[in-house]
Each structure stands twice: as structure tokens, then as C-alpha cells.
Amino acid sequence: MARIHTLRTAAEAIAGAEAILVDTGAGMGVDSGLPDFRGPAGFWTAYPPLKHLGLRFEEIANPRHFDNEPDLAWGFYGHRLHLYRDTKPHDGFHILRELAQDKTLFGFTSNIDGHL
């Protein structure tokens, strides 16, 4: 019974709000099919040259590669951009928009895929 009361209270708060702030993280992108960039294998499966070179995501994401290895840096970022653009956001994104209805929807996230 307490759960129903909590859900009803949340629904009333959403209904009465002028705007909604959604705080998300990597799970939203991963659930859409994007690789986990900080996992030990996630992005390596999407961009095999990193594995071949023995580079982790955190290493290739360093801007120094644009000076030292521009082809590698631009290839890496270009590949990521195409992943983001080609990946269809999962239904959770649409559900959030439906919940917001005519309200302003803000997203607070560490993701850079542009889906929210």
C-alpha cells in the first residue's frame, strides 16, 4: 500500500510541475546499444583499433592525440560521432518525453550521445 501511495505522490508531483529534470547516466546509452566506454571491453568491440594499439578509452580521449596522432584522434572521434548518430534511442527516451507531456524537459547526464 505504501508503494501505491508513493507512486501516486510522484504522479501528482509530475502533473503539477512546470518542468522536469531527468538525471541519467551511461545506462541510457548502453540500453540503446552504445558501448560502455569505460568498461574493459565495451568500446574495443566497437572500435577494434584501440584494442590493437592497447589503448583504453581514457587514453585515446586525451586531446594530445590531436597533436601527436591526428589521424587516430579524428578517426576515434569520427567513429564515435557516427555511433551516436546511427544509434536509435531506446523506448525509455520516448517514455520520458511522454511523461513530460507539454512540460519543459531538462536532461542532466554524463552522456555525450545527444539522445536526451
Side-chain angles (χ1 to χ4, degrees):
M1 194 58 130
R3 183 174 179 183
I4 292 172
H5 175 72
T6 302
L7 290 173
R8 187 171 290 126
T9 301
E12 290 170 1
I14 291 170
E18 292 180 25
I20 297 176
L21 172 66
V22 178
D23 182 10
T24 69
M28 292 290 281
V30 170
D31 287 351
S32 294
L34 291 169
D36 177 1
F37 292 107
R38 288 184 174 76
F43 196 67
W44 279 8
T45 60
Y47 194 60
L50 289 183
K51 184 174 185 177
H52 176 73
L53 295 172
L55 292 172
R56 294 188 326 269
F57 170 79
E58 301 89 275
E59 293 171 319
I60 190 62
N62 188 316
R64 72 177 152 78
H65 288 289
F66 284 101
D67 290 330
N68 300 341
E69 301 167 283
D71 289 347
L72 178 64
W74 283 112
F76 171 71
Y77 281 97
H79 181 77
R80 287 178 56 195
L81 178 61
H82 286 290
L83 277 176
Y84 300 149
R85 288 181 175 170
D86 294 343
T87 299
K88 180 182 179 221
H90 67 78
D91 288 342
F93 290 94
H94 305 293
I95 291 169
L96 289 173
R97 288 194 180 101
E98 286 177 17
L99 283 173
Q101 297 175 358
D102 59 347
K103 300 166 184 14
T104 302
L105 179 63
F106 294 99
F108 178 79
T109 181
S110 59
N111 294 349
I112 59 171
D113 53 38
H115 290 173
L116 185 64

